[in-house]
Amino acid sequence: MKMPEVPSFPPFQNFDAGFHLLPEMAKRKQLEIQFIGEDEEGTSCTVTHSTVSASGRFLRNKRRVNARNTRQQGMLNSKQFSDCFEKIWKIFPDNQRASFTYLDCLWFSWYMDELFKEKVLVWISRKHIFTKKYVFVPILHWRHWNLLIFCNFDKPLQSKTQTTCMLLLDSMQMSGPRRLEPTIRKFLLDVYEAEKRPVTKQAISKIPLLIPKVPQQRNGEDCGRFVLYFISLFMESAPKNFSTTGGYPYFMKEDWFAPQDFDCFCKRFKLCSK
């Protein structure tokens, strides 16, 4: 792949395989980036060593630097997430996929970093995501995976024929998904501006951000697996005409799926935690 061109499907960037640098960064030979962050005690969980190749690409090798906090060891990393998403995406026929598009599983995280924000917005603008009825935006933040879905943005925000809204699916709602709302709305506004689409901050503020009470994970590791299962089931069941007039989509409930269904999904795609 050549940057700054936006990668073709599947566009997920493997965190371990690297991403392209901004031009001004290509002179640096080595960087260390703390990807997961710090735990409550300030213990660094994961550090990624990044080496810049001659082509201006990060070559990464992840390693654990401190084993005191092992609660997140069973979480999916971006490579596992991307590999599984690619398999899920290919299961669905072209005509069914036509209503959907998605962003790289790390783009939202990079957007939140001022160093990469502008470049990420350029990549997103070239995908023209709002030509599709549904847009999947995986979010990895605070060591937790969420799924943001833009619904009905393929029509004007003031459309009377369909409801434009955002769904935020969180398999651990006790983590407080509403904390992401200011960033999500700013992200949406920035994407509109990057695509040179007319919109106002006030219009963005009126778009409903809905948080359905979906099935919850049973441990501190399965959030990424739940996001992948949410994507799979949503693609399977999403209605052609989405409206919030009568509440959430009929299938999106606390008992959306049974624990054994989730376990079978993980076994099928070899996602079981060790």
Side-chain angles (χ1 to χ4, degrees):
M1 291 188 299
K2 260 187 171 181
M3 298 304 292
E5 293 298 324
V6 176
S8 57
F9 281 136
F12 282 122
Q13 298 294 306
N14 177 351
F15 179 74
D16 298 300
F19 65 90
H20 293 264
L21 294 168
L22 299 174
E24 62 271 19
M25 295 174 63
K27 295 178 183 179
R28 297 156 97 179
K29 291 185 178 180
Q30 287 189 335
L31 282 176
E32 286 191 352
I33 296 178
Q34 185 173 316
F35 177 59
I36 297 296
E38 295 184 345
D39 64 15
E40 295 83 352
E41 301 174 354
T43 303
S44 178
C45 296
T46 304
V47 169
T48 302
H49 288 274
S50 307
T51 303
V52 179
S53 69
S55 62
R57 211 176 196 191
F58 269 138
L59 304 176
R60 289 190 161 111
N61 178 28
K62 260 184 8 178
R63 67 178 178 86
R64 290 274 167 185
V65 296
N66 196 312
R68 280 197 294 154
N69 184 352
T70 59
R71 290 172 299 172
Q72 303 299 328
Q73 287 183 354
M75 281 184 61
L76 295 187
N77 59 38
S78 63
K79 180 184 186 304
Q80 294 167 319
F81 188 100
S82 302
D83 289 347
C84 183
F85 181 92
E86 180 180 348
K87 293 174 185 175
I88 293 170
W89 184 259
K90 290 179 178 178
I91 287 174
F92 294 91
D94 291 344
N95 63 331
Q96 195 166 351
R97 291 192 310 224
S99 297
F100 300 90
T101 189
Y102 53 92
L103 298 187
D104 183 288
C105 67
L106 291 177
W107 280 5
F108 193 91
S109 298
W110 291 344
Y111 163 82
M112 294 170 65
D113 188 328
E114 286 298 323
L115 187 61
F116 308 118
K117 180 177 179 178
E118 293 304 319
K119 181 60 71 175
V120 168
L121 288 171
V122 169
W123 297 342
I124 294 173
S125 68
R126 292 176 179 173
K127 281 180 62 67
H128 304 292
I129 59 175
F130 295 140
T131 60
K132 302 293 185 178
K133 182 175 288 292
Y134 300 112
V135 184
F136 295 126
V137 184
I139 296 176
L140 178 57
H141 191 49
W142 295 311
R143 293 176 299 168
H144 181 58
W145 290 93
N146 298 86
L147 177 63
L148 175 65
I149 308 176
F150 293 132
C151 303
N152 293 333
F153 280 79
D154 57 327
K155 301 291 184 182
L157 297 183
Q158 298 79 18
S159 173
K160 296 180 180 180
T161 60
Q162 59 183 22
T163 304
T164 299
C165 70
M166 300 178 286
L167 300 176
L168 184 59
L169 309 189
D170 190 343
S171 61
M172 191 165 63
Q173 292 193 357
M174 62 181 293
S175 65
R178 282 284 175 193
R179 293 185 296 170
L180 286 166
E181 183 169 358
T183 305
I184 288 171
R185 293 194 184 277
K186 181 62 168 64
F187 173 74
L188 184 56
L189 180 62
D190 286 345
V191 172
Y192 264 91
E193 291 178 347
E195 292 190 356
K196 296 181 170 55
R197 292 162 60 103
V199 72
T200 64
K201 189 175 181 180
Q202 184 180 15
I204 295 295
S205 69
K206 292 181 179 179
I207 299 172
L209 176 63
L210 310 175
I211 304 180
K213 291 184 178 180
V214 293
Q216 300 291 282
Q217 64 194 75
R218 296 163 289 179
N219 55 43
E221 302 174 348
D222 280 341
C223 50
R225 299 174 182 87
F226 268 75
V227 165
L228 288 165
Y229 198 31
F230 289 153
I231 290 172
S232 178
L233 293 184
F234 193 89
M235 290 186 72
E236 225 172 71
S237 309
K240 291 182 179 179
N241 295 306
F242 181 97
S243 173
T244 59
T245 305
Y248 297 119
Y250 65 92
F251 56 86
M252 201 173 292
K253 301 177 181 179
E254 288 185 83
D255 60 350
W256 189 3
F257 51 84
Q260 57 266 31
D261 298 330
F262 173 72
D263 292 339
C264 289
F265 170 82
C266 291
K267 289 177 182 177
R268 178 185 179 186
F269 290 97
K270 299 180 181 179
L271 293 174
C272 299
S273 54
K274 296 178 180 180

